[in-house]
Amino acid sequence: MVMDNPEAPAPHRKSGVHWLDLMVSVCALLTSAVSIFMAYQNSNAMEDLVHANSWPFMQLSSGNSGDAGPDDHTLKFDVSNAGTGPARIYKFEFFVDNHPASSSNPLISIANACCETEYHAVIAGQAQPLDAIGTIQTSRVTTTMLAANQSQPVLGWARSSRNAELWDAMDRARQNGRIVMHACYCSVFDECWDARSGALPERRANMCEQPAPNTSVSN
């Protein structure tokens, strides 16, 4: 059986005009380059859009009024995420006069640092000093995930007749900027920021440091 040889592909026909053939080749090359550039730009735009839709923006706020009405005077410290994506909080701490407060009992540490005279005046002569301080509400913030548009209370302390002197002193220190909060947090893309009370978050050049294992953190 005799098999026919396959037909050879027809050669590319040229116009016969050298400058026209060269122009066609250059136009084809430019078209390819523009297509590649547009695809690259579109990829970058889509990546920026995904990052924008996953951008956390933490706000650290405080106040001196509660939710039970005008007679509810509660010293409150809160964190909230006003961004569009979740915030992974790696570190959170209080500072008093630019010095970190202990995280084991933040309110007592803050009281001793900012208002030592008033603190000792309130607990003086008390068999149970913490009874004079009153109920303290705290929640853990370090190593937690805060979703977009979510808020979380960090520290709450109601004013009473027994702790009024210390409560007022701490509230003045808070309003004067002596008591501030600091947090280090990251997005799901490992973009990280430092947030402080009364200031916009600042972008970090590196990741937040992970807390040491087995470290007791109450806030």
Side-chain angles (χ1 to χ4, degrees), residues 60-66 73-78 155-157 167 171 174-175 181:
L60 312 179
S61 57
S62 61
N64 58 11
S65 61
H73 302 291
T74 300
L75 198 59
K76 298 192 302 182
F77 296 87
D78 305 306
L155 178 63
W157 181 40
W167 193 97
D171 190 36
R174 176 192 65 85
Q175 295 185 52
M181 294 175 282

Side-chain angles (χ1 to χ4, degrees), residues 88-93 140-145 182-187 190 192 194 204 206-217:
R88 294 182 294 173
I89 306 174
Y90 286 95
K91 188 176 183 180
F92 178 90
E93 57 189 335
R140 182 187 179 93
V141 177
T142 302
T143 63
T144 60
M145 181 79 80
H182 169 261
C184 187
Y185 67 97
C186 299
S187 71
D190 292 334
C192 301
D194 283 307
R204 290 174 60 93
N206 50 10
M207 284 280 292
C208 300
E209 295 180 2
Q210 296 264 10
N214 301 322
T215 299
S216 175
V217 181

Side-chain angles (χ1 to χ4, degrees), residues 62-144:
S62 61
N64 58 11
S65 61
D67 301 325
D71 296 329
D72 180 12
H73 302 291
T74 300
L75 198 59
K76 298 192 302 182
F77 296 87
D78 305 306
V79 299
S80 61
N81 182 4
T84 56
R88 294 182 294 173
I89 306 174
Y90 286 95
K91 188 176 183 180
F92 178 90
E93 57 189 335
F94 284 96
F95 279 80
V96 180
D97 297 331
N98 295 322
H99 297 287
S102 171
S103 61
S104 59
N105 196 330
L107 189 136
I108 301 302
S109 178
I110 293 170
N112 270 305
C114 80
C115 320
E116 185 177 8
T117 301
E118 292 83 359
Y119 172 71
H120 287 289
V122 167
I123 66 172
Q126 301 291 330
Q128 298 293 334
L130 289 181
D131 290 344
I133 298 297
T135 302
I136 304 170
Q137 298 174 332
T138 62
S139 61
R140 182 187 179 93
V141 177
T142 302
T143 63
T144 60

